[in-house]
Amino acid sequence: MTAVEKPETIRSKILIVDDSEMNRAILANMLEDEYDLIEAENGLEAVSIIQDQGSELSLLLLDIVMPGLDGFGVLAEMSRNHWLEDIPVIMISSESGSAFVERAYELGVCDFISRPFDSLVVHRRVVNTILLYAKQKKLIDMVAEQIYEKEQKSSLMIDLLSH
């Protein structure tokens, strides 16, 4: 690598789920410069993508009202399969009634953005959510490593004492 070349950075992958092509295009336009984007036009397609690429997804932007499997159905499926533990979800919807918002949070979303939305707000919340989950994952990995090391040392001490 020469001094001019920059190392290739791994871009976070976001799944945008909305039955409106226009809404998906607006969100994609806001985020495409910084993130790899995948689009789904309904909940069933989203669940299929999560099954295939779940470990690669950094965030899910999810609409509530969609034909077939709606956003709440997607959240229920994600909860059932324990995907919500690893993939944060931001609900983006024009349904801003308190019952919708409360239900979304009860089902495990990290954030709720009402439409029409401000691109600066969407961008900041996406960045914050991805960073928060990345830091959380790093901390979990560090704790797991420390536990493993402690178990190894304990096992070694037991072996030494038993001889």
Side-chain angles (χ1 to χ4, degrees), residues 9-157:
T9 56
I10 298 172
R11 290 168 40 121
S12 296
K13 191 179 284 190
I14 298 174
L15 173 58
I16 301 172
V17 186
D18 197 316
D19 59 321
S20 166
E21 187 175 342
M22 184 180 76
N23 290 337
R24 291 193 315 270
I26 291 169
L27 289 167
N29 191 42
M30 286 181 204
L31 302 168
E32 66 190 355
D33 291 340
E34 294 177 58
Y35 302 100
D36 290 335
L37 304 175
I38 303 171
E39 296 181 18
E41 60 186 40
N42 60 57
L44 291 173
E45 188 179 342
V47 169
S48 176
I49 291 170
I50 295 167
Q51 281 177 319
D52 293 342
Q53 302 185 37
S55 62
E56 300 171 24
L57 296 175
S58 299
L59 180 66
L60 180 69
L61 296 175
L62 182 63
D63 186 23
I64 293 176
V65 180
M66 296 181 286
L69 188 65
D70 67 4
F72 294 132
V74 172
L75 287 171
E77 188 68 25
M78 290 181 74
S79 180
R80 201 172 12 263
N81 290 295
H82 304 284
W83 296 332
L84 282 171
E85 297 164 11
D86 299 317
I87 305 169
V89 178
I90 297 177
M91 189 71 77
I92 296 183
S93 182
S94 55
E95 302 295 332
S96 59
S98 63
F100 284 101
V101 176
E102 285 175 28
R103 184 168 178 212
Y105 280 118
E106 286 171 4
L107 288 170
V109 300
C110 299
D111 206 348
F112 192 101
I113 301 173
S114 296
R115 220 178 358 245
F117 39 74
D118 180 309
S119 63
L120 200 62
V121 170
V122 171
H123 184 266
R124 189 73 257 161
R125 288 183 176 178
V126 164
V127 168
N128 288 349
T129 301
I130 289 175
L131 286 175
L132 179 66
Y133 266 72
K135 288 177 182 179
Q136 181 179 346
K137 184 173 178 3
K138 186 177 179 180
L139 285 173
I140 289 169
D141 291 345
M142 286 172 55
V143 169
E145 180 66 29
Q146 288 175 354
I147 290 170
Y148 175 76
E149 287 176 10
K150 195 172 211 174
E151 287 174 351
Q152 293 297 98
K153 288 177 183 176
S154 295
S155 179
L156 179 62
M157 186 62 75

Side-chain angles (χ1 to χ4, degrees), residues 1-9:
M1 181 163 58
T2 65
V4 179
E5 292 178 27
K6 292 182 180 178
E8 190 173 318
T9 56

